[in-house]
Amino acid sequence: EGAGVSLDQVWVANMIAELDPLLPPDYDSVQGHCTDVFAHSASTGGSLHGHNEDWSVEAKEYWYYVSLTPEGDDADFVPCAGLAYP
């Protein structure tokens, strides 16, 4: 609301690395995105997140970490956390 963009635009901006591989091969997209790996163990409930940061050091002051924990048994995601920035 405050940014003046739709929720879909916020999700796309935060998921560009996941969406980019889904584009057609001839689409002229930006190269050199960061890489994320997320793993969750159903048996132990443990999670692991790995990330390499390809952005410039100038963006570092805008980085923040997000941790999501589902509430209740009807949540449609597992606990996860990661680095984010605008």
Side-chain angles (χ1 to χ4, degrees):
E1 184 176 294
V5 297
S6 71
L7 183 58
D8 285 344
Q9 289 171 305
V10 172
W11 275 110
V12 167
N14 281 280
M15 296 183 65
I16 191 67
E18 289 81 6
L19 296 172
D20 192 53
L22 301 175
L23 295 171
D26 59 342
Y27 187 83
D28 186 21
S29 65
V30 176
Q31 300 299 313
H33 294 297
C34 307
T35 302
D36 284 275
V37 177
F38 176 75
H40 175 75
S41 171
S43 62
T44 66
S47 297
L48 177 67
H49 177 245
H51 177 89
N52 79 300
E53 189 53 53
D54 288 339
W55 281 95
S56 166
V57 174
E58 285 81 22
K60 188 174 183 177
E61 67 182 278
Y62 303 107
W63 296 350
Y64 57 96
Y65 288 92
V66 176
S67 176
L68 302 173
T69 304
E71 294 184 7
D73 295 333
D74 59 343
D76 60 355
F77 67 96
V78 298
C80 59
L83 177 70
Y85 39 83

